[in-house]
Amino acid sequence: AVDNEADVINLSLGSYSDDPAMRAAIAYASSHNVVVVAASGNCGDGTGDECIGISPGTVAYPAAYPDVIAVGATTQSDQRASFSSYGSELDVSAPGYAIPPSTSWSETHPTSLYSGYLYGTSFASPQVASLVALVKSVRPSSSIADITALIDASATKIGIMNGLMYSDTVGHGIINVHSAVVFAGILNATGSATPQLLQAGSYQSERT
């Protein structure tokens, strides 16, 4: 994907072991300023065959790598989906619970449906990847750090964060597409350099 000039890569996949090949691929993408977004994993409650032997909440690789935007899933009531993996590696969250499938998806993936809807961080992650693409369309010269800061800083803080800027259950909050795109435009208009999230304590209160 990098060699074919992709600007953003979504990875709705993961493993709970640090794979050298995957780590090298992520490093290669980062060195070419390609933004990688990945699902945090579905071991939030420790159930499921893929979670055997894994501590509940463990964030999967490649989402756990520092250069990847790790995405958790939320419900319609702005709660962390019970299956959504969480931890200090998490960046942001997006809807990933009872997502209505497209007609084309229904036709090609009939066994992936549960009661006619889609569940999983795999469906939250591409929403964030789409937001990355929107930000890059407004601010093409953005670095990975620039885009990550924009998306994290513009996320909507929700009640379960208890007034904190960061929570290891939902990251910096739920993505806010409008705010992120507006912020990108303002930075362009003002000629501002890369935005930064200021550290003010541990990652629970605010994370760089």
Side-chain angles (χ1 to χ4, degrees):
V2 173
D3 291 343
N4 282 281
E5 300 182 352
D7 291 316
V8 56
I9 297 172
N10 177 71
L11 295 174
S12 289
L13 51 82
S15 169
Y16 291 94
S17 59
D18 184 355
D19 181 79
M22 177 62 76
R23 187 174 355 107
I26 297 299
Y28 185 73
S30 297
S31 69
H32 288 77
N33 202 41
V34 176
V35 182
V36 180
V37 182
S40 68
N42 300 321
C43 287
D45 52 13
T47 62
D49 293 341
E50 73 276 17
C51 304
I52 295 175
I54 302 300
S55 298
T58 302
V59 173
Y61 294 97
Y65 292 128
D67 291 339
V68 175
I69 298 179
V71 184
T74 52
T75 67
Q76 301 96 323
S77 57
D78 290 346
Q79 301 293 314
R80 179 184 67 85
S82 60
F83 55 77
S84 182
S85 292
Y86 55 89
S88 61
E89 303 92 344
L90 194 64
D91 281 286
V92 288
S93 295
Y97 187 93
I99 302 296
S102 66
T103 301
S104 59
W105 179 277
S106 301
E107 292 172 346
T108 57
H109 299 77
T111 60
S112 297
L113 302 182
Y114 178 76
S115 301
Y117 292 90
L118 304 172
Y119 296 75
T121 56
S122 287
F123 303 105
S125 182
Q127 297 180 62
V128 178
S130 297
L131 176 53
V132 171
L134 282 173
V135 171
K136 285 189 74 72
S137 73
V138 175
R139 193 171 164 82
S141 61
S142 297
S143 66
I144 295 172
D146 187 349
I147 290 176
T148 302
L150 272 171
I151 291 176
D152 288 355
S154 62
T156 298
K157 312 305 176 187
I158 55 179
I160 59 174
M161 297 176 71
N162 296 318
L164 299 177
M165 296 299 293
Y166 180 85
S167 163
D168 63 3
T169 57
V170 292
H172 288 279
I174 299 176
I175 58 168
N176 187 317
V177 175
H178 175 75
S179 292
V181 173
V182 168
F183 289 172
I186 291 172
L187 288 170
N188 281 346
T190 59
S192 299
T194 301
Q196 295 182 353
L197 301 181
L198 301 179
Q199 185 72 13
S202 67
Y203 69 83
Q204 286 94 344
S205 59
E206 185 175 2
R207 197 185 72 161
T208 300

Short mmCIF file of all heavy atoms in Angstrom, two decimals, residues 1-27:
data_model
loop_
_atom_site.label_atom_id
_atom_site.label_comp_id
_atom_site.label_asym_id
_atom_site.label_seq_id
_atom_site.Cartn_x
_atom_site.Cartn_y
_atom_site.Cartn_z
N ALA A 1 0.83 -1.21 0.00
CA ALA A 1 0.00 0.00 0.00
C ALA A 1 0.86 1.26 0.00
O ALA A 1 0.57 2.23 -0.71
CB ALA A 1 -0.95 0.00 1.20
N VAL A 2 1.90 1.24 0.81
CA VAL A 2 2.81 2.40 0.86
C VAL A 2 3.47 2.62 -0.50
O VAL A 2 3.53 3.74 -1.00
CB VAL A 2 3.88 2.20 1.95
CG1 VAL A 2 4.92 3.31 1.90
CG2 VAL A 2 3.23 2.14 3.34
N ASP A 3 3.95 1.55 -1.08
CA ASP A 3 4.64 1.66 -2.36
C ASP A 3 3.70 2.05 -3.49
O ASP A 3 4.15 2.53 -4.54
CB ASP A 3 5.33 0.33 -2.70
CG ASP A 3 6.51 0.06 -1.78
OD1 ASP A 3 6.97 1.00 -1.12
OD2 ASP A 3 6.95 -1.11 -1.72
N ASN A 4 2.40 1.87 -3.28
CA ASN A 4 1.41 2.28 -4.27
C ASN A 4 0.79 3.63 -3.91
O ASN A 4 -0.30 3.97 -4.36
CB ASN A 4 0.33 1.21 -4.43
CG ASN A 4 0.80 0.05 -5.28
OD1 ASN A 4 0.83 0.13 -6.51
ND2 ASN A 4 1.20 -1.03 -4.63
N GLU A 5 1.50 4.39 -3.06
CA GLU A 5 1.19 5.78 -2.74
C GLU A 5 -0.09 5.97 -1.94
O GLU A 5 -0.79 6.97 -2.08
CB GLU A 5 1.16 6.62 -4.02
CG GLU A 5 2.50 6.60 -4.77
CD GLU A 5 2.49 7.47 -6.02
OE1 GLU A 5 1.42 7.97 -6.39
OE2 GLU A 5 3.58 7.66 -6.59
N ALA A 6 -0.39 5.02 -1.08
CA ALA A 6 -1.50 5.22 -0.15
C ALA A 6 -1.16 6.33 0.83
O ALA A 6 0.00 6.49 1.22
CB ALA A 6 -1.79 3.93 0.61
N ASP A 7 -2.14 7.11 1.22
CA ASP A 7 -1.95 8.17 2.22
C ASP A 7 -2.36 7.71 3.62
O ASP A 7 -1.87 8.21 4.63
CB ASP A 7 -2.76 9.41 1.86
CG ASP A 7 -2.22 10.10 0.62
OD1 ASP A 7 -0.99 10.25 0.53
OD2 ASP A 7 -3.03 10.48 -0.24
N VAL A 8 -3.31 6.77 3.67
CA VAL A 8 -3.80 6.26 4.94
C VAL A 8 -4.13 4.79 4.76
O VAL A 8 -4.61 4.37 3.71
CB VAL A 8 -5.03 7.06 5.42
CG1 VAL A 8 -6.13 7.06 4.37
CG2 VAL A 8 -5.57 6.49 6.73
N ILE A 9 -3.84 4.01 5.79
CA ILE A 9 -4.10 2.57 5.77
C ILE A 9 -4.95 2.21 6.97
O ILE A 9 -4.63 2.58 8.10
CB ILE A 9 -2.78 1.77 5.82
CG1 ILE A 9 -1.93 2.06 4.59
CG2 ILE A 9 -3.06 0.27 5.94
CD1 ILE A 9 -0.53 1.46 4.66
N ASN A 10 -6.06 1.52 6.73
CA ASN A 10 -6.87 0.99 7.82
C ASN A 10 -6.58 -0.49 7.99
O ASN A 10 -6.54 -1.24 7.01
CB ASN A 10 -8.36 1.18 7.54
CG ASN A 10 -9.20 0.56 8.65
OD1 ASN A 10 -9.23 1.07 9.76
ND2 ASN A 10 -9.84 -0.57 8.36
N LEU A 11 -6.37 -0.91 9.24
CA LEU A 11 -6.12 -2.31 9.54
C LEU A 11 -7.15 -2.80 10.56
O LEU A 11 -6.99 -2.63 11.76
CB LEU A 11 -4.70 -2.51 10.07
CG LEU A 11 -3.58 -2.19 9.07
CD1 LEU A 11 -2.21 -2.28 9.74
CD2 LEU A 11 -3.64 -3.14 7.88
N SER A 12 -8.21 -3.38 10.06
CA SER A 12 -9.23 -3.97 10.93
C SER A 12 -8.84 -5.43 11.18
O SER A 12 -9.53 -6.37 10.80
CB SER A 12 -10.61 -3.88 10.27
OG SER A 12 -11.05 -2.54 10.25
N LEU A 13 -7.72 -5.58 11.85
CA LEU A 13 -7.16 -6.89 12.14
C LEU A 13 -6.23 -6.75 13.32
O LEU A 13 -5.95 -5.64 13.76
CB LEU A 13 -6.40 -7.44 10.92
CG LEU A 13 -5.36 -6.51 10.27
CD1 LEU A 13 -4.03 -6.56 11.00
CD2 LEU A 13 -5.15 -6.88 8.82
N GLY A 14 -5.76 -7.85 13.84
CA GLY A 14 -4.84 -7.74 14.95
C GLY A 14 -4.39 -9.07 15.49
O GLY A 14 -4.93 -10.13 15.17
N SER A 15 -3.36 -9.02 16.32
CA SER A 15 -2.81 -10.17 17.00
C SER A 15 -2.37 -9.72 18.38
O SER A 15 -2.04 -8.54 18.58
CB SER A 15 -1.61 -10.72 16.21
OG SER A 15 -0.90 -11.68 16.98
N TYR A 16 -2.36 -10.63 19.32
CA TYR A 16 -1.95 -10.26 20.67
C TYR A 16 -0.49 -10.60 20.95
O TYR A 16 -0.07 -10.65 22.10
CB TYR A 16 -2.90 -10.90 21.69
CG TYR A 16 -4.26 -10.26 21.59
CD1 TYR A 16 -5.26 -10.83 20.80
CD2 TYR A 16 -4.54 -9.05 22.20
CE1 TYR A 16 -6.49 -10.22 20.65
CE2 TYR A 16 -5.76 -8.43 22.06
CZ TYR A 16 -6.74 -9.01 21.29
OH TYR A 16 -7.94 -8.39 21.13
N SER A 17 0.25 -10.79 19.87
CA SER A 17 1.70 -10.95 20.00
C SER A 17 2.37 -9.95 19.07
O SER A 17 1.83 -9.60 18.02
CB SER A 17 2.14 -12.37 19.63
OG SER A 17 1.76 -12.69 18.31
N ASP A 18 3.53 -9.47 19.48
CA ASP A 18 4.29 -8.47 18.72
C ASP A 18 5.02 -9.16 17.58
O ASP A 18 6.04 -9.81 17.79
CB ASP A 18 5.27 -7.77 19.66
CG ASP A 18 6.03 -6.64 18.99
OD1 ASP A 18 5.87 -6.45 17.77
OD2 ASP A 18 6.80 -5.96 19.68
N ASP A 19 4.47 -9.04 16.39
CA ASP A 19 5.03 -9.72 15.22
C ASP A 19 6.09 -8.85 14.55
O ASP A 19 5.79 -7.71 14.17
CB ASP A 19 3.92 -10.05 14.22
CG ASP A 19 4.45 -10.77 13.01
OD1 ASP A 19 4.69 -11.99 13.10
OD2 ASP A 19 4.67 -10.12 11.97
N PRO A 20 7.31 -9.34 14.38
CA PRO A 20 8.39 -8.53 13.79
C PRO A 20 8.06 -8.02 12.39
O PRO A 20 8.41 -6.89 12.05
CB PRO A 20 9.58 -9.48 13.78
CG PRO A 20 9.30 -10.46 14.86
CD PRO A 20 7.81 -10.65 14.85
N ALA A 21 7.40 -8.84 11.59
CA ALA A 21 7.07 -8.42 10.22
C ALA A 21 6.06 -7.28 10.23
O ALA A 21 6.19 -6.31 9.47
CB ALA A 21 6.52 -9.61 9.43
N MET A 22 5.06 -7.39 11.11
CA MET A 22 4.07 -6.31 11.20
C MET A 22 4.72 -5.04 11.73
O MET A 22 4.47 -3.94 11.24
CB MET A 22 2.92 -6.73 12.12
CG MET A 22 1.87 -5.65 12.35
SD MET A 22 1.03 -5.13 10.83
CE MET A 22 -0.08 -6.53 10.60
N ARG A 23 5.59 -5.18 12.74
CA ARG A 23 6.27 -4.01 13.29
C ARG A 23 7.11 -3.32 12.22
O ARG A 23 7.13 -2.09 12.12
CB ARG A 23 7.15 -4.43 14.47
CG ARG A 23 7.75 -3.26 15.20
CD ARG A 23 8.51 -3.62 16.46
NE ARG A 23 8.47 -5.00 16.85
CZ ARG A 23 9.49 -5.84 16.74
NH1 ARG A 23 10.63 -5.43 16.22
NH2 ARG A 23 9.39 -7.08 17.16
N ALA A 24 7.78 -4.11 11.40
CA ALA A 24 8.61 -3.54 10.33
C ALA A 24 7.74 -2.84 9.29
O ALA A 24 8.11 -1.78 8.76
CB ALA A 24 9.44 -4.63 9.68
N ALA A 25 6.58 -3.42 8.99
CA ALA A 25 5.68 -2.81 8.00
C ALA A 25 5.15 -1.48 8.50
O ALA A 25 5.04 -0.50 7.74
CB ALA A 25 4.53 -3.77 7.69
N ILE A 26 4.81 -1.41 9.80
CA ILE A 26 4.32 -0.17 10.38
C ILE A 26 5.43 0.89 10.36
O ILE A 26 5.19 2.06 10.02
CB ILE A 26 3.84 -0.39 11.83
CG1 ILE A 26 2.65 -1.36 11.87
CG2 ILE A 26 3.48 0.94 12.48
CD1 ILE A 26 1.43 -0.90 11.12
N ALA A 27 6.63 0.49 10.69
CA ALA A 27 7.76 1.42 10.67
C ALA A 27 8.01 1.95 9.26
O ALA A 27 8.32 3.13 9.07
CB ALA A 27 9.02 0.74 11.22
#
